[in-house]
Amino acid sequence: DKPLKVRVQKMVEARNFDIEALKATNGKVITCKAAVAWEAKKPLDVTDVLVAPPKTGEVRLKVFANALCHTDVYTLDGHDPEGLFPSILGHEAAAVVESIGEGVTSVQVGDVVIPCYTPECREPECIYCQNPDTNLCPKIRATQGKGLMPDGTSRFSTPDGKTIYHFMGCSSFSEYTVVAEISVAKINADVDLNKICLLGCGVSTGWGAVFNTTKVTPRSSVVVFGLGAVGLAVVQAAKANGASKIVAVDVNASKWPLAEEMGATDFVNSSEFENYDPKVKLMEMSKWGYDFTFDCTGIVSVMRCALEVAHRGWGVSCVIGVAAAGHELSTRPFQLVTGRSWKGTAFGGWKSRTDVPLLVKKVLTKELDIDKFVTHTINGLENVNDSIEALHSGSCLRAVVEIAKAPTKEVKPLVQLSSEPSFGGVLKRFTHYSESCKCDMTFSIYLPPDRDQKKPFPVLYFLAGLTCTDVNASTKSGFQKYAAEHKIAVMFPDTSPRGVDIEGDEEVFWFGKSASYYLNATEPKWKEHYNMYDYIVKELPTFLATHFNIDPNNQSITGHSMGGHGALICHLKNPGMYKSVSAFAPICHLTAVPWGEKAFPEFLGSLEAGAEYDASLLIKKYTGPKLKILVDQGTKDKPLPTQLRPDALIDACNETGYPLEFRWHAHYTHGYFFISTFIEDHIKHHAKYLNFDN
């Protein structure tokens, strides 16, 4: 097998976009359609523009979808003092890289990306990028604010040579656009581009205001002023963080049902009060105020109200909405003296290139749902002005303009079956389609506490034993406390394919369903579906890295009984793939025990073929890094005398000098009381080698 890094890269490059077609325009000026804002308060004009090739540090994108944001309309209506005309608006987009300029290394042609108006240069000298508390990288702020690229020129022009300005560093209401490399977030290609474009601004901003800027706490009280897309994202995130009381405030009562669906507990219609000021009503509902308040309106009087209903002594109020030019905030200093804090947020505090890909993963795993935010879909850039009408209607959260049809790619959905909080993290269960096993497979995964986590977690695979599913170890082993402490994600695959009808797969408990022995079958009857070895060592690492904040090159493996056998052979057949290995009561010499005498001829055609999946035999020819193997074994284990054969493993390690820590435990049997007793030792063993902090 090739190293895992190579396998992951190959999967990433397997795109459905026509790379050669994209490359055909590289280095050339492209004539395409764009929605040009020639002047304030006029409809956008869909016309031909010229898009020059990217220069050093720049990327040219083919845009597939763009959602209209209030900031676009704010500029078009002439309220933005920095607004320039003519320009191409748009900054909530999903696109594919068409070409790259000199020096660009973080993306390549064919990558799916979200352009971001907040750059992230990542330079060591950038005090903003190096500070975890802010995302306000100023690297290209001066030129971006002037509607220009970093070299002080524009990549857009009319056919007769007139300059067209860029907008917010994105200008995505165009079939093609050019952006700075430091403003491009590379994301998973297996996404709906017509929805994921929302992460370019509004929805991400609302989530970040909760997760990053204010860090809303469990059981806290929250007030959200304004129930547009940003406000509803705040509601959604506050609910996700465990807020117990979420009051939604708006002048439009029709927005309440969706706010309630997303987690709001109460609704206040501010149009029912003099000067639209609901302060008295809100304070009646909570005597001392609210722990966290958010303004999502851009109205300075609402910002003041939000501050003044924040809890006396510790309340935090966050300004998200952008006020009109020239407007100023005011309040009595006493409001701050008595313990309230006033904060603001831009793009929710997310560092664009680092954090947007992680948000995409949360969307893919349904931790955060964006489906309800898309209320209008506009087909074709030529109908872009319909999106503006929709936004003005009051019934629109986000109108997405489908600028180009993305190549179709059949991606079977990852379906979440359950989610349970545990020790600050969460244990989730999913089903997905496996390419290796050619059927739906189920797994459980524990994700440790990650409120402020940006670095990918290391992962420990736990392979279960005969008769088990992914549920047994995940619910009975007692691993969560220790995995949470060491910040290790723990993955529990199922023990075999299911839902496939194969004669004989349920005749005995030690063969077939729940008894795959983590091998690749070669016999015709079994080889289509029973490819658990490939599933564990090839498919799952890439799958987890794609869908979760997990490092596929920082992984370890353990298991119990048949799963202990699986952990040993996966390590021994893949030198360097795992950082550490351990096992509970493993089957150590499968070719020499009755279970193997049944399994190997059925799956592989002969007992002799099983040598490639026998840990004691593999150790004798192993030439890779000799990771110390930790094994625990109970003396009262019923399968011990006839099925487990630890003596063969001990002898093989002694013969070859392979480091083995084998621990006997008097009176312990084969089950999960045994595992839960010693699971802490195993987690600590793996934590030493997974090196999360480094």
Side-chain angles (χ1 to χ4, degrees):
D1 290 326
K2 294 181 179 180
L4 179 63
K5 288 184 179 179
V6 174
R7 287 202 295 270
V8 170
Q9 185 61 32
K10 281 197 169 184
M11 291 294 291
V12 168
E13 291 175 354
R15 307 206 182 278
N16 278 352
F17 295 101
D18 188 337
I19 303 299
E20 293 307 313
L22 291 168
K23 289 183 177 179
T25 51
N26 288 187
K28 302 176 182 177
V29 174
I30 293 176
T31 300
C32 69
K33 296 293 184 183
V36 179
W38 295 108
E39 56 182 297
K41 304 183 186 300
K42 297 289 184 181
L44 298 178
D45 178 26
V46 180
T47 186
D48 285 341
V49 300
L50 305 183
V51 185
K55 294 185 179 181
T56 300
E58 299 175 359
V59 180
R60 188 161 63 183
L61 308 177
K62 178 177 174 62
V63 181
F64 284 91
N66 190 93
L68 180 70
C69 176
H70 282 279
T71 306
D72 299 312
V73 177
Y74 174 79
T75 299
L76 185 61
D77 286 345
H79 300 309
D80 183 359
E82 291 188 353
L84 298 169
F85 299 97
S87 64
I88 298 172
L89 304 178
H91 64 285
E92 281 191 17
V96 64
V97 175
E98 176 269 343
S99 59
I100 60 176
E102 183 180 347
V104 171
T105 59
S106 63
V107 294
Q108 60 187 357
V109 175
D111 283 343
V112 177
V113 299
I114 292 177
C116 300
Y117 70 90
T118 300
E120 182 188 359
C121 73
R122 297 176 175 171
E123 294 178 0
E125 299 80 14
C126 180
I127 60 173
Y128 289 88
C129 285
Q130 298 307 315
N131 189 320
D133 296 327
T134 184
N135 62 339
L136 300 178
C137 174
K139 180 70 175 181
I140 58 175
R141 177 68 184 90
T143 52
Q144 182 170 308
K146 297 176 181 177
L148 302 171
M149 294 301 292
D151 71 345
T153 63
S154 174
R155 302 295 163 266
F156 295 119
S157 61
T158 63
D160 61 1
K162 184 178 180 180
T163 295
I164 300 175
Y165 292 106
H166 294 255
F167 176 72
M168 295 182 69
C170 296
S171 289
S172 45
F173 272 132
S174 175
E175 293 177 331
Y176 290 85
T177 187
V178 179
V179 299
E181 178 189 14
I182 63 174
S183 300
V184 172
K186 178 182 173 181
I187 65 169
N188 185 344
D190 295 340
V191 293
D192 185 340
L193 301 184
N194 286 346
K195 294 177 181 176
I196 210 68
C197 61
L198 270 61
L199 299 190
C201 183
V203 173
S204 297
T205 298
W207 291 343
V210 172
F211 298 144
N212 301 326
T213 308
T214 62
K215 295 179 172 59
V216 168
T217 54
R219 304 297 301 168
S220 59
S221 56
V222 173
V223 183
V224 182
F225 294 83
L227 299 180
V230 175
L232 289 173
V234 171
V235 170
Q236 185 184 46
K239 176 69 174 179
N241 261 19
S244 59
K245 186 179 185 66
I246 304 173
V247 182
V249 181
D250 203 281
V251 297
N252 187 345
S254 67
K255 295 184 177 181
W256 163 240
L258 184 54
E260 183 178 30
E261 187 178 340
M262 288 191 169
T265 58
D266 301 89
F267 178 71
V268 172
N269 189 335
S270 54
S271 68
E272 297 176 357
F273 304 97
E274 185 177 357
N275 297 322
Y276 296 90
D277 186 352
K279 179 179 176 181
V280 173
K281 174 65 176 177
L282 289 169
M283 296 306 292
E284 287 175 357
M285 296 168 62
S286 181
K287 180 179 179 181
W288 296 108
Y290 300 83
D291 300 313
F292 301 94
T293 66
F294 300 85
D295 166 68
C296 308
T297 69
I299 302 170
V300 293
S301 61
V302 177
M303 296 175 191
R304 175 171 184 166
C305 179
L307 173 74
E308 295 178 357
V309 300
H311 204 291
R312 184 175 184 268
W314 62 75
V316 177
S317 187
C318 183
V319 175
I320 306 175
V322 178
H327 287 212
E328 295 182 352
L329 281 172
S330 65
T331 190
R332 293 185 299 128
F334 188 72
Q335 296 291 339
L336 301 177
V337 170
T338 50
R340 298 170 185 85
S341 300
W342 223 342
K343 291 189 171 185
T345 190
F347 195 47
W350 301 113
K351 293 183 184 291
S352 54
R353 298 162 71 197
T354 298
D355 294 335
V356 169
L358 300 181
L359 292 178
V360 171
K361 291 182 180 183
K362 289 181 180 292
V363 170
L364 285 171
T365 56
K366 297 298 183 182
E367 283 187 68
L368 296 169
D369 188 4
I370 60 175
D371 291 357
K372 295 181 177 66
F373 290 98
V374 180
T375 55
H376 296 71
T377 300
I378 311 298
N379 293 315
L381 185 60
E382 66 273 13
N383 297 311
V384 64
N385 287 299
D386 293 348
S387 66
I388 298 174
E389 292 181 16
L391 200 64
H392 283 311
S393 71
S395 63
C396 176
L397 293 177
R398 277 296 184 266
V400 175
V401 179
E402 186 178 39
I403 295 174
K405 292 285 185 184
T408 57
K409 180 177 183 180
E410 183 180 0
V411 179
K412 298 200 174 183
L414 176 68
V415 179
Q416 181 172 298
L417 303 177
S418 63
S419 179
E420 293 292 341
S422 181
F423 290 93
V426 61
L427 178 64
K428 291 177 175 286
R429 193 169 188 235
F430 295 93
T431 184
H432 75 113
Y433 182 79
S434 165
E435 293 292 344
S436 300
C437 298
K438 298 294 187 292
C439 65
D440 288 338
M441 295 291 289
T442 302
F443 66 86
S444 296
I445 185 168
Y446 179 74
L447 301 170
D450 70 344
R451 171 170 291 188
D452 300 314
Q453 178 54 35
K454 304 297 176 64
K455 183 179 179 181
F457 289 115
V459 60
L460 172 64
Y461 287 81
F462 191 116
L463 308 186
L466 297 170
T467 76
C468 293
T469 68
D470 59 294
V471 171
N472 297 71
S474 67
T475 58
K476 296 180 180 180
S477 66
F479 73 95
Q480 293 96 326
K481 178 176 185 293
Y482 313 112
E485 288 175 357
H486 294 284
K487 292 193 173 183
I488 297 173
V490 186
M491 170 67 175
F492 301 89
D494 202 349
T495 54
S496 74
R498 300 182 193 276
V500 293
D501 296 323
I502 302 176
E503 183 181 356
D505 66 358
E506 293 185 289
E507 289 180 356
V508 291
F509 77 84
W510 61 84
F511 178 76
K513 284 184 180 165
S514 299
S516 69
Y517 297 95
Y518 301 102
L519 51 72
N520 287 341
T522 57
E523 287 297 283
K525 182 177 177 180
W526 306 98
K527 69 179 183 179
E528 180 180 3
H529 299 294
Y530 276 72
N531 297 297
M532 290 295 292
Y533 174 76
D534 278 355
Y535 180 61
I536 299 298
V537 303
K538 294 182 180 179
E539 183 173 354
L540 280 180
T542 299
F543 183 86
L544 293 187
T546 299
H547 290 84
F548 301 94
N549 188 23
I550 283 175
D551 183 354
N553 298 302
N554 195 15
Q555 57 183 355
S556 293
I557 193 164
T558 188
H560 170 232
S561 187
M562 176 187 72
H565 146 82
L568 294 175
I569 66 168
C570 287
H571 156 57
L572 294 169
K573 288 169 69 66
N574 296 274
M577 182 173 179
Y578 300 101
K579 298 293 182 69
S580 53
V581 61
S582 72
F584 296 89
I587 305 170
C588 299
H589 193 16
L590 194 53
T591 58
V593 300
W595 286 341
E597 291 168 1
K598 164 71 172 176
F600 285 144
E602 288 275 0
F603 282 137
L604 303 177
S606 70
L607 181 62
E608 292 72 21
E612 289 301 311
Y613 297 98
D614 185 311
S616 295
L617 299 179
L618 288 170
I619 274 193
K620 293 180 180 181
K621 62 179 184 179
Y622 179 79
T623 59
K626 291 185 176 181
L627 311 180
K628 182 177 80 170
I629 299 174
L630 171 64
V631 175
D632 281 310
Q633 175 65 61
T635 61
K636 296 292 186 180
D637 191 323
K638 286 185 179 180
L640 174 60
T642 58
Q643 303 288 6
L644 303 187
R645 292 292 308 274
D647 59 295
L649 181 68
I650 294 170
D651 289 345
C653 289
N654 287 337
E655 179 183 328
T656 60
Y658 195 102
L660 170 67
E661 182 179 358
F662 196 100
R663 309 191 305 184
W664 289 98
H665 301 284
H667 311 300
Y668 282 92
T669 59
H670 195 66
Y672 279 92
F673 292 112
F674 160 60
I675 294 172
S676 61
T677 302
F678 302 105
I679 190 68
E680 180 181 7
D681 293 347
H682 283 248
I683 297 291
K684 287 182 176 179
H685 169 74
H686 294 293
K688 286 190 299 185
Y689 300 100
L690 287 171
N691 255 345
F692 175 79
D693 292 331
N694 296 327

